Amino acid sequence: MYGDEATIRRILTGLGDTWAVVGLSTNPSRAAYGVARVLQRYGKRIVPVHPKAETVHGEQGYASLADIPFEVDVVDVFVNSELAGAVADEAVAKGAQAVWFQLGVVDETAYERTRAAGLDMVMDRCPAIEIPLLD
């Protein structure tokens, strides 16, 4: 298991409320779309990150993490496992405090690199499932 309950709680309640959601587009059938909406309901500011840089749920999108002109607290990753490690490295470079790999997104070496860089990380879990459990 990659992400104990204390780490999950810290990311969801203690690290800050700006979440970059990598892979978030205007497609309502994609998981990222619904998860971002749940995060908003719990008071998180979502920042869409997608090559098309679309505005989603009223928030301006950016083509990459590096393009976001402000700090982000958590990077939530909705890309294939093969691409996720590079996103985790970008999150470290961006100065994020945590990285969250969604259900089915697994890269053990990226997990180790990210933790070694001092970031909290959760992998193969979903914040939209976890956050209501904290109430």
Side-chain angles (χ1 to χ4, degrees), residues 2-3 8 11-13 15-16 22 24-25 32 35 37 45-46 49 72 82-84 94 99 104-106 109 134:
Y2 295 94
I8 289 169
I11 292 171
L12 291 172
T13 65
L15 290 187
V22 179
L24 176 56
S25 72
V35 170
R37 177 61 82 201
R45 176 185 184 192
I46 57 110
V49 179
V72 296
E82 298 78 40
L83 305 173
K94 178 71 179 163
V99 175
V105 180
V106 176
T109 59
L134 299 177

Side-chain angles (χ1 to χ4, degrees), residues 118-129:
L119 282 71
D120 280 331
M121 185 161 180
V122 173
M123 187 164 66
D124 196 25
R125 304 282 286 268
C126 179
I129 293 170

Side-chain angles (χ1 to χ4, degrees), residues 12-132:
L12 291 172
T13 65
L15 290 187
D17 292 332
T18 303
W19 284 56
V21 184
V22 179
L24 176 56
S25 72
T26 58
N27 183 345
S29 68
R30 303 291 299 189
Y33 190 89
V35 170
R37 177 61 82 201
V38 170
L39 290 170
Q40 281 185 319
R41 275 199 298 264
Y42 279 87
K44 308 300 182 191
R45 176 185 184 192
I46 57 110
V47 182
V49 179
H50 189 279
K52 294 181 182 176
E54 299 170 306
T55 296
V56 184
H57 300 314
E59 294 286 349
Q60 168 65 48
Y62 297 90
S64 71
L65 287 173
D67 291 340
I68 300 172
F70 49 84
E71 292 183 11
V72 296
D73 302 307
V74 181
V75 176
D76 191 6
V77 182
F78 282 92
V79 299
N80 293 332
S81 296
E82 298 78 40
L83 305 173
V87 176
D89 295 339
E90 291 170 25
V92 171
K94 178 71 179 163
Q97 299 178 63
V99 175
W100 192 300
F101 280 9
Q102 283 292 326
L103 289 171
V105 180
V106 176
D107 181 332
E108 293 179 5
T109 59
Y111 181 87
E112 297 302 327
R113 279 195 317 271
T114 303
R115 296 289 297 134
L119 282 71
D120 280 331
M121 185 161 180
V122 173
M123 187 164 66
D124 196 25
R125 304 282 286 268
C126 179
I129 293 170
E130 302 295 334
I131 201 166

